[in-house]
Amino acid sequence: EISSTSSTADPFKDEILEAKKLYPSINVLSTSPSTISVNYNRGYNCVYITLTIPNEYPKHPLVVNIDKDTVVPSGLKKQLEKKLNEVAIEKSQQSSNSAYQQVAAVWGCLVSFLDTNLAIPIDFPCGSNSVKCQNHVRKALGKDARASIQSFQQSNSLHSYFAKAFGTVPVHEASQQKEKQQQASSANKHVEPLDPSPALEFLS
């Protein structure tokens, strides 16, 4: 976090403070002597960027990289990254005072690009025929969607939570532990069948 009492001897810190005043919606995640990591949220969308500070800043421009995003199309992401770097280069070629405004210029370009580009949805993409929705679900589930769904069902099912609450073992875990249970004769764990009636009776 950048302190509001930064010294005027460090114009770069002052530059970040001024940029934060101009664009309060930009979230500064981390700073170091050589990088600044920020993100910007627009509805469902969130874009993370890193600004790398060259040794001879501001004569040399900031280097901007898009680290990750939610549903910005890949082609549009490349276009945005190119545009952000062009803005930094343009500012670095101006007078010394203007050159120290690269951070604000890059952040302003990011906000403007995301807020005005109709190809970037504000809300979560939905609809059975939505390609963006399908791509987002594929990305969330990973390469093996079936295994991801089964794993989530097992670890987050109501049956699993009740089994843990009562100190028993869910059936899917019991099958995996069968060999271990056979080897460990002293095992005292009771296998809870998939029968919700005891839990419902307990809650009634």
Side-chain angles (χ1 to χ4, degrees), residues 102-123:
Q102 292 182 41
V103 174
V106 168
W107 290 3
C109 181
L110 173 66
V111 170
S112 176
F113 189 93
L114 294 179
D115 285 356
T116 59
N117 200 306
L118 298 178
I120 304 174
I122 298 177
D123 301 318

Side-chain angles (χ1 to χ4, degrees), residues 7-194:
S7 170
T8 55
D10 190 344
F12 188 68
K13 285 186 177 181
D14 292 338
E15 181 183 358
I16 299 175
L17 288 172
E18 288 301 317
K20 283 176 64 66
K21 292 178 183 177
L22 291 171
Y23 302 101
S25 55
I26 294 285
N27 302 308
V28 178
L29 304 176
S30 64
T31 61
S32 74
S34 59
T35 61
I36 312 168
S37 295
V38 303
N39 70 11
Y40 175 62
N41 290 279
R42 175 182 176 257
Y44 169 70
N45 257 302
C46 184
V47 175
Y48 295 77
I49 67 170
T50 296
L51 289 74
T52 302
I53 309 157
N55 291 330
E56 296 187 17
Y57 181 83
K59 291 181 180 179
H60 290 177
L62 295 169
V63 178
V64 186
N65 293 293
I66 297 179
D67 299 325
K68 59 180 179 178
D69 66 276
T70 47
V71 290
V72 178
S74 58
L76 205 59
K77 186 195 307 186
K78 293 179 181 177
Q79 180 183 340
L80 172 58
E81 191 172 76
K82 179 181 179 182
K83 191 173 183 66
L84 295 177
N85 280 285
E86 287 176 349
V87 167
I89 292 171
E90 183 180 349
K91 275 291 180 184
S92 70
Q93 295 172 347
Q94 297 178 5
S95 63
S96 58
N97 290 335
S98 296
Y100 267 115
Q101 297 173 5
Q102 292 182 41
V103 174
V106 168
W107 290 3
C109 181
L110 173 66
V111 170
S112 176
F113 189 93
L114 294 179
D115 285 356
T116 59
N117 200 306
L118 298 178
I120 304 174
I122 298 177
D123 301 318
F124 186 88
C126 58
S128 59
N129 296 322
S130 172
V131 175
K132 292 179 181 178
C133 179
Q134 293 170 358
N135 291 339
H136 183 80
V137 172
R138 288 193 187 98
K139 183 178 179 181
L141 293 177
K143 294 182 178 180
D144 193 342
R146 183 182 297 275
S148 298
I149 293 172
Q150 290 177 343
S151 175
F152 184 85
Q153 286 178 321
Q154 292 174 353
S155 59
N156 294 274
S157 67
L158 182 62
H159 175 228
S160 295
Y161 282 122
F162 272 116
K164 292 176 183 178
F166 289 109
T168 59
V169 182
V171 172
H172 67 85
E173 290 184 14
S175 62
Q176 297 172 1
Q177 297 176 359
K178 187 175 181 180
E179 294 182 0
K180 294 182 180 179
Q181 289 177 342
Q182 290 175 347
Q183 295 174 359
S185 58
S186 61
N188 296 320
K189 288 186 176 180
H190 171 65
V191 176
E192 179 75 20
L194 185 56

